[in-house]
Amino acid sequence: MRSDAMHSTGAEVVDRTAGSAPATGPAGTGASRTNSAGKPANARTGESPRRRSGSLANPRAKRRYWAIMIGLAVASAAIALGLLAWDNPMPITDEGFWLIAQLRMRNLVVIAIVALCQAFATVSFQTVTNNRIITPSIMGFESLYVAIQTGAMYFFGVTAIVDLKGIGPFALQLVLMVGLSLALYGWLLSGKYSNVSIMLLVGIVIGGGLGSIATFMQRTLTPSEFDVLAARLFGSISNSDSSYLPISIPLCLIACLALYLSSSRLNVLALGRDTTSNLGLNHRFEMMKVLFFVSILMAVSVSMIGPMVFLGFLVAMLAYQFSDTYDHRYVLPMAALLGFVVLGGAYFVMKNLFYAEGVVSIIIEIVGGGAFLFVIMRKGRL
């Protein structure tokens, strides 16, 4: 009898410890238990009732994200200050210092625009195509830019390269690039058997064809003409012009704002066609809308400074790694800051250390190409 009573009492204690009975305070007043942080605990599990799942898994992930964002913001401010003040012969208190800084401000604005365009376009494009190792460059934007520049040199001579600078030629290049992309999207995504993979393959073929035509025309140029053309075919901040800004700034801001406001829809699109349709979204319409804004951003970026294939890939890869989330509300801002740090840092190094006058594509292609090979060697796992 004594053994049975002890066994029953022990079982009751274990049952209370497991939480099957309401916990009481030390005086038996019925007060609920508290967790280690002093907050009311659940009577059954002993855990805090505030449990949720979100984009950032826990407070530690949230702190890490905002710490990285603050660090990138500080780095961006330091790069911007360095670009304005480095090698400025006038003291900062002198009016001449600010006149020189104002002249350098154009390049800083161009870097910010290109960073925004490449970051938002690449992250959004990878989402709608469900592929993390491709960039919008696969659709032939750079090849079309090279073909336009080479064709102008081939048919009209060296003076045509100079004439291509200005608001008119810039707007024409934008219309051609956006028009080509919309034609591809409308043709390959609006049919009954629309397929993203076929669209990408056709984009590769068109880009390769335009590249071959441009290469053929380049071989017929004289060495002096080719030398002038080659300077325009590098991704360079010096290719931009202040007359581009009244068009490029509004287009960039509108497209980036539209994509950011569509972050929740991008999160759904990342789940695939079937899941998107089951959740009530028109997958084809949403995809074509995102691709339209992507084409605008890529056209602005390429028309302003020229080809830069791996910048978007590098920025998107780092943004996913550092943010540690798939929520575009967090990935897109981090990608934009990373784009400014990478592009601004490369421009600062090339201009002030190697005196290359802003030819940033060399560093970007080396670092971005190496990162791409690293990802491929890991079988595409990011």
Side-chain angles (χ1 to χ4, degrees), residues 94-273:
D94 194 284
E95 184 179 355
F97 175 90
W98 298 106
L99 291 176
I100 296 174
Q102 187 175 2
L103 294 175
R104 297 178 177 182
M105 183 63 70
R106 179 188 65 86
N107 290 339
L108 194 63
V109 174
V110 171
I111 291 172
I113 292 173
V114 173
L116 279 172
C117 289
Q118 291 281 344
F120 275 70
T122 303
V123 172
S124 303
F125 187 78
Q126 290 179 348
T127 297
V128 297
T129 57
N130 198 22
N131 193 317
R132 295 271 297 278
I133 60 174
I134 62 174
T135 68
S137 302
I138 201 173
M139 300 304 298
F141 291 101
E142 281 83 0
S143 298
L144 181 59
Y145 173 85
V146 171
I148 292 173
Q149 299 292 326
T150 306
M153 174 72 76
Y154 180 81
F155 290 107
F156 304 107
V158 178
T159 56
I161 293 294
V162 179
D163 294 336
L164 273 177
K165 278 198 171 185
I167 193 70
F170 178 72
L172 179 61
Q173 287 186 90
L174 289 179
V175 171
L176 288 175
M177 291 181 183
V178 175
L180 174 64
S181 61
L182 290 181
L184 282 177
Y185 304 153
W187 172 38
L188 298 172
L189 296 179
S190 61
K192 182 179 179 181
Y193 302 103
S194 60
N195 193 307
V196 176
S197 299
I198 294 178
M199 179 194 72
L200 297 177
L201 290 174
V202 172
I204 293 173
V205 172
I206 293 177
L210 291 173
S212 298
I213 295 173
T215 301
F216 171 76
M217 290 189 290
Q218 289 171 11
R219 290 182 177 275
T220 63
L221 301 176
T222 63
S224 59
E225 291 176 333
F226 181 80
D227 185 54
V228 174
L229 176 65
R232 295 297 299 273
L233 300 184
F234 274 104
S236 173
I237 304 298
S238 61
N239 288 338
S240 63
D241 191 88
S242 58
S243 62
Y244 300 165
L245 299 180
I247 293 180
S248 59
I249 291 177
L251 287 177
C252 174
L253 294 180
I254 291 172
C256 289
L257 180 62
L259 289 174
Y260 184 77
L261 293 178
S262 301
S263 295
S264 58
R265 295 175 180 267
L266 286 170
N267 295 340
V268 177
L269 287 173
L271 301 176
R273 178 191 297 269

Side-chain angles (χ1 to χ4, degrees), residues 19 31 35-36 44 50 68 82 85 102 117 126 222 227 260 268 280 292-293 317 365 377:
N35 57 18
S36 57
R44 184 170 298 275
R50 291 186 59 189
I68 294 175
Q102 187 175 2
C117 289
Q126 290 179 348
T222 63
D227 185 54
Y260 184 77
V268 177
F292 170 68
F293 291 120
M317 181 192 69
E365 301 301 318
M377 295 301 292

